Amino acid sequence: MTQAPALPFSKIRLAKGLAFLSGEMPFAGDGSIPEGIAAQTALVLERIAGTLATAGLGLDDVIQVAVHLVDEADFGAFNAEYRKHFKEPLPVRTTVVARLLAPGALLEVTVTAAQRD
């Protein structure tokens, strides 16, 4: 018997050549959250890459990114880490400042990727 997911949403959905991911937060495998925006950004993007890999995709296939930052002061450090994970052509992106419900999390990121022909 398969255990139902803890939260009522899918992690990834494929439709009409696109992969839509739910928001990813910086939880390590043991449930901990690393310190600092750079470490949290790296972890979130690694987790997104892992989810995309389940559909045969990678970060190079990402066409759109939505970012929710807790503190606008983290914008520069977030961008510096983000840039390490994406290459040209860069995905389109929206970044907003938002209150997150997970204590200690400094960001949440969701992406849309295009499946390869």
Side-chain angles (χ1 to χ4, degrees), residues 9 23 30 80 95 97:
F9 59 82
D30 63 1
T95 305
V97 175

Side-chain angles (χ1 to χ4, degrees), residues 15-112:
K16 300 191 184 281
L18 297 173
F20 300 90
L21 274 66
S22 291
E24 188 67 65
M25 297 184 79
F27 295 108
D30 63 1
S32 66
I33 296 176
E35 291 290 325
I37 191 66
Q40 289 191 23
T41 301
L43 177 58
V44 164
L45 295 175
E46 289 167 13
R47 290 174 56 89
I48 287 170
T51 300
L52 289 169
T54 67
L57 300 168
L59 292 177
D60 290 346
D61 301 304
V62 172
I63 56 173
Q64 187 272 334
V65 178
V67 180
H68 296 85
L69 291 176
V70 169
D71 187 345
E72 66 185 285
D74 286 335
F75 188 72
F78 163 77
N79 270 330
E81 184 62 35
Y82 176 92
R83 186 74 163 128
K84 295 175 187 177
H85 298 268
F86 292 99
K87 59 185 179 187
E88 298 290 339
L90 295 170
V92 298
R93 190 178 94 192
T94 300
T95 305
V96 298
V97 175
R99 182 176 154 258
L100 300 179
L101 298 177
L106 300 175
L107 78 161
E108 182 173 9
V109 178
T110 189
V111 304
T112 302

